[in-house]
């Protein structure tokens, strides 16, 4: 079960470090032009939406979570979104390319997996 009281669920775990490495290995996706579909959201909008959807899924799938545990998940996810914002700061206001969209969806799924494992 989730630890509370100063403990982190995922941010101080090896899995999160590996996720950050995965992001840095794929940064070139955000440095090159690509196909942008009409109506594509901006990079940061998509990140926030997709991560939020996954947080909702975590809470729906793990009905045994206490309010404190749900709050911890939200705080840690805020930290992850902040990290993404820092790393991708030069492109957060650009519209996502098809490749970036696929990567962000996959990345958010991996974030969800980290929390699912921690629960």
């Amino acid at each position: 079960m989730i630890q509370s009281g100063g403990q982190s669920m995922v941010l101080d775990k090896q899995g999160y470090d590996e996720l950050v490495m995965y992001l840095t290995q794929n940064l070139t996706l955000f440095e090159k032009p690509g196909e942008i579909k009409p109506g594509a959201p901006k990079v940061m909008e998509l990140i926030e939406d997709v991560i939020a959807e996954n947080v909702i899924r975590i809470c729906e799938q793990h009905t045994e979570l206490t309010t404190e545990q749900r709050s911890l998940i939200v705080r840690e996810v805020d930290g992850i979104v902040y990290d993404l914002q820092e790393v991708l700061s030069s492109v957060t206001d650009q519209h996502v390319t098809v490749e970036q969209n696929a990567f962000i969806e996959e990345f958010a799924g991996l974030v969800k997996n980290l929390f699912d494992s921690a629960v």
Side-chain angles (χ1 to χ4, degrees):
M1 210 52 181
I2 303 164
Q3 301 295 311
S4 57
Q7 284 275 9
S8 157
M9 265 178 150
V10 301
L11 293 181
D12 63 357
K13 305 290 185 285
Q14 182 182 352
Y16 184 65
D17 294 341
E18 290 168 2
L19 202 55
V20 172
M21 285 291 295
Y22 180 61
L23 173 63
T24 53
Q25 289 163 356
N26 286 280
L27 279 180
T28 52
L29 271 180
F30 294 92
E31 295 164 356
K32 64 182 183 192
E35 180 193 349
I36 296 173
K37 289 192 173 168
K42 293 184 177 178
V43 171
M44 207 58 224
E45 289 169 357
L46 181 67
I47 288 171
E48 289 171 347
D49 288 351
V50 173
I51 299 257
E53 287 168 17
N54 280 292
V55 169
I56 291 166
R57 272 195 216 112
I58 292 166
C59 292
E60 286 173 350
Q61 290 170 350
H62 300 281
T63 53
E64 75 282 1
L65 291 172
T66 65
T67 303
E68 183 181 320
Q69 291 166 332
R70 291 170 194 263
S71 296
L72 180 59
I73 291 170
V74 170
R75 278 197 308 275
E76 291 209 6
V77 166
D78 281 347
I80 292 168
V81 170
Y82 178 80
D83 288 350
L84 286 169
Q85 213 167 358
E86 290 293 297
V87 172
L88 300 173
S89 61
S90 63
V91 296
T92 53
D93 285 333
Q94 294 176 13
H95 291 279
V96 293
T97 65
V98 173
E99 297 84 5
Q100 291 166 355
N101 194 322
F103 176 80
I104 290 168
E105 295 271 353
E106 180 189 7
F107 189 87
L110 294 171
V111 169
K112 180 184 180 297
N113 290 347
L114 281 179
F115 282 99
D116 283 336
S117 300
V119 170

